[in-house]
Amino acid sequence: MFEAEAHGLGAMYETGTIRVPKPYKVGELPTGGSYIIMEFIEFGASRGNQSILGRKLAEMHKAGKSSKGFGFDVDNTIGSTPQINTWSSDWIQFYGEHRLGYQLKLASRQYGDSLIYERGQRLVKSIGKLFENVVIEPCLLHGDLWSGNISSDKNGEPVILDPACYYGHSEAEFGMSWCAGFGASFYNGYFEVMPKQPGFEERRDLYMLYHYLNHYNLFGSGYRSSAMSIIDDYLALLQA
């Protein structure tokens, strides 16, 4: 887990855009367990300026490109759930299989939830319609951007940490926005650098679905209704 975290922090650091703690070393402790050593950043009193955060995040997405397609050099974790990052040249296939599909299988195995699995798989087969006329480039994503992973340094510059990095569609970065408190100034700052693509609003819940499913698998049934509601709404919208 620490090796993958260091790999993600290093990739974000190398873009030279938004501030992240530089990773120095990971290893095993002689007494058992592991460690990660990273740059110490003294946090400021607030989460920083939302507009600057949006702009800096967009700059990272613009700078962090991959010639290998969608995925990452290592698998990592989203919370404590494994996140599979096998490279793919097809974003719709990658997101359907390694993001939504993986979580749906987990829910089926863990809870015997055949209903969410069956409806979710129907949705996975239909999501291509949501990406018509959209240019999807592999961008370096933080992958788990919620309020607990966003801060600022003592100069007020935004800092992001504790990533679940991979190269994916830039819009997938907003999948945890229901836990991030992003305001209008954040999105305005972001879209000044990375223009909004057609159908952005229609895809928004699709990217939240991955994280709602993960919360269902990690924390239990309190998140099931949110996930199921998104699935049912898309099945109706797409007539799937």
Side-chain angles (χ1 to χ4, degrees), residues 9-10 12-14 18-23 39 41 60 158-161:
L9 287 170
M12 294 194 298
Y13 184 86
E14 289 300 318
I18 195 164
R19 189 161 189 202
V20 300
K22 183 180 182 179
E39 175 190 4
I41 298 176
M60 184 181 86
V159 180
I160 56 175
L161 57 146

Side-chain angles (χ1 to χ4, degrees), residues 16-36:
T17 53
I18 195 164
R19 189 161 189 202
V20 300
K22 183 180 182 179
Y24 292 120
K25 191 172 174 61
V26 298
E28 293 182 8
L29 294 164
T31 52
S34 306
Y35 67 86
I36 181 169

Side-chain angles (χ1 to χ4, degrees), residues 81-162:
T81 309
Q83 184 167 258
I84 308 304
N85 294 318
T86 307
W87 292 105
S88 171
S89 60
D90 183 333
W91 169 248
I92 294 165
Q93 179 271 327
F94 177 89
Y95 191 71
E97 181 181 343
H98 296 310
R99 295 295 178 263
L100 298 183
Y102 186 89
Q103 294 285 349
L104 290 165
K105 282 177 192 165
L106 207 54
S108 177
R109 265 203 321 269
Q110 190 164 272
Y111 302 121
D113 196 337
S114 57
L115 185 63
I116 204 166
Y117 177 80
E118 182 272 321
R119 288 189 191 172
Q121 288 294 356
R122 268 169 53 206
L123 172 59
V124 165
K125 291 184 178 77
S126 307
I127 60 174
K129 296 173 191 170
L130 295 166
F131 293 90
E132 288 169 3
N133 305 315
V134 179
V135 177
I136 308 171
E137 289 185 295
C139 299
L140 180 62
L141 307 180
H142 174 285
D144 191 15
L145 205 59
W146 66 288
S147 56
N149 294 341
I150 302 166
S151 190
S152 66
D153 65 17
K154 60 183 193 302
N155 298 320
E157 279 290 305
V159 180
I160 56 175
L161 57 146
D162 195 19

